[in-house]
Each structure stands twice: as C-alpha cells, then as structure tokens.
Amino acid sequence: MRILLTNDDGIFAPGLKVLEEIAAQFSDDVWICAPHEEQSGAGHSLSLNAPVRLHTHGPRRFSVTGTPTDSVTLALRTVLDSPPDLILSGVNRGANLGDDITYSGTVSAAIEGALAGIRSIGLSQVLDRNASHDQFDAAGAWGARAIAPLLDTPLPSRTLINVNFPPIAANKVAGIRAVRQGFHDYSRGSVVEGRDPRGLPYYWFGLHPIEHTLDHGTDLEAIDEGFVSVTPLQLDLTHHASLGALAERYT
Ligand code: MN
C-alpha cells in the first residue's frame, strides 16, 4: 500500500514525525510531500499568482513552497509515478473540530485527495498547553487504531475522514467515536489590534479560544469526553432540504 503524507504545519513539524511513525505501521512505501513552511489556516487555497518550487529532502521526502493543496497536487502530478492508495494529512498541531474545517489546511489537503478519488484522512491533535505529557501522546498511541478500520470501510466518492485526538495522555483516552461535525461560533471570534514600530495598526486573528456548543453526538463532545473523534465529511455542501423551496422562488 502506497501512502502519501502531508500537513499544513510544514515539513519540519513535529506532528509530521508522529504521522510517519503511524504510517510505518501500515506500509514501507510512504512518501512525504508537505509545505516548506507552516500553512495553518490556509484552507483549500491553491497558489495561482506565484511560482511554486519543489525541494527534495531525501528519498521520498519533498517540500513545496506553497499551500497544502499545492503539495498534494504536486505530489499526485509530479512527484509520484503512480497514485497513492491513501493520503494522510497531519498530525496537525491543534484541533480541527466543528467549523474549523473550512479554515484548515490539514483537512483541505485531505479534501484535495478526495477530489482526486483517493482515500484521504485528516488527523489533528487537540492541544492542552498546560499538560505535562507529550503533546502528541494520544495521536501517537491511537493513530493506527483510528486509521485501521478506515482502510477497508466503503466510502462514497468525494468523501473524506476527519480525525481528532483529545488533549490528554494516551492511557487516559476513553476510546474512539464516530461522530458528526459540531458547531463553533467563529462570528464571535476576537481580533487583537496592536501598533507596529512605525505606529501603524496591525491585526492578529485566532488568539483566543473559540466558543462552541457541545451538542450531543458531535466531534466537540467526543473530544470533551476524552474520546478520539472520527467524522466522515462530504464535499457536496449543497443544503438539499432548502433546494426545493429556493427553486420555487425562481419559477
Ligand atoms: Mn496546522
């Protein structure tokens, strides 16, 4: 089985090392093609107005001076001589829960894989900055257990899987739950304003925790209760229940 690894934290990120150890439990045909620098928050962006360069770091190890989507695209079209059977993106340093996913470069790399018809999984480690255990402890110990059933579960085309690991020590993890995507409230997210050395204003996003509701059966609730969350996602964002009513407004 050929596996392509990528992420949005960059080729030197500690989470990518964790992912390499997870992937090695399934295959020795593992390739890495990841952004050269951190691209967290890049979402599904594709570099259209700047050249993208491919750097070789060793056998089957490449970085791309672009986004996670650029990295998957270059891997599939230039780096690999035959497509991978599986794409793993992560392990992201931080949560990708609820409405995080459209901002997420980690999940978007998996979206790019799903668009190419390849089984794709995004993996993220929720962080507790005050914890004494290794930040990626849960991902390292539970990664293969979360992935194994996903390898032969039938999935329709244009779907992908989003996995999050709770911010607790591996021996405290309660298990793995298949759950739906929860809701964050990004509309109340704060923007911090400061002044640069020239006295000009600048703005900084994403400094404060995002408010959310722990609805039953969601990824947010599973993580809160100490479980690994596994959420199938679809690329069809159409709200089908509204389609009929809307169509009538245009007749
Ligand atoms: Mn990231």
Side-chain angles (χ1 to χ4, degrees):
M1 177 170 64
R2 173 167 285 187
I3 307 178
L4 171 65
L5 308 186
T6 191
N7 70 359
D8 78 355
D9 294 333
I11 188 143
F12 304 112
L16 186 59
K17 272 221 98 48
V18 177
L19 189 59
E20 281 188 77
E21 287 161 15
I22 294 169
Q25 298 172 58
F26 296 102
S27 174
D28 53 11
D29 188 15
V30 177
W31 294 67
I32 295 168
C33 190
H36 196 73
E37 293 182 344
E38 179 169 347
Q39 297 286 321
S40 295
H44 197 198
S45 59
L46 181 66
S47 295
L48 294 176
N49 296 307
V52 169
R53 311 235 182 237
L54 181 68
H55 296 299
T56 304
H57 295 261
R60 299 182 294 188
R61 184 180 293 269
F62 303 85
S63 72
V64 171
T65 61
T67 66
T69 297
D70 296 339
S71 301
V72 172
T73 302
L74 264 189
L76 298 183
R77 298 196 189 161
T78 301
V79 172
L80 297 173
D81 56 1
S82 66
D85 305 291
L86 176 70
I87 295 177
L88 301 176
S89 177
V91 176
N92 188 59
R93 193 175 170 282
N96 278 306
L97 297 163
D99 296 301
D100 292 339
I101 59 171
T102 50
Y103 298 94
S104 169
T106 304
V107 177
S108 294
I111 288 175
E112 191 62 22
L115 284 171
I118 297 160
R119 187 164 293 240
S120 297
I121 305 169
L123 303 116
S124 303
Q125 172 67 63
V126 185
L127 300 180
D128 173 3
R129 289 172 207 283
N130 301 316
S132 56
H133 60 78
D134 169 18
Q135 297 274 27
F136 288 93
D137 197 39
W142 286 81
R145 267 183 274 184
I147 290 168
L150 302 174
L151 298 180
D152 58 2
T153 302
L155 285 175
S157 66
R158 299 168 71 81
T159 59
L160 60 141
I161 304 288
N162 186 33
V163 176
N164 279 264
F165 301 95
I168 53 181
N171 61 7
K172 298 274 194 296
V173 173
I176 304 175
R177 271 189 195 160
V179 284
R180 67 188 163 87
Q181 181 190 359
F183 305 93
H184 270 326
D185 192 352
Y186 269 101
S187 67
R188 285 190 277 176
S190 60
V191 178
V192 172
E193 182 177 339
R195 296 273 157 182
D196 73 13
R198 295 190 196 278
L200 300 171
Y202 64 79
Y203 303 91
W204 210 281
F205 301 100
L207 290 179
H208 297 119
I210 299 151
E211 294 184 36
H212 59 249
T213 314
L214 291 177
D215 264 0
H216 183 59
T218 64
D219 50 4
L220 290 159
E221 182 199 57
I223 291 296
D224 188 61
E225 295 179 356
F227 286 81
V228 178
S229 70
V230 175
T231 302
L233 301 174
Q234 59 185 357
L235 299 188
D236 178 1
L237 300 182
T238 308
H239 189 251
H240 290 273
S242 302
L243 198 53
L246 199 55
E248 279 183 17
R249 300 298 309 272
Y250 293 100
T251 53

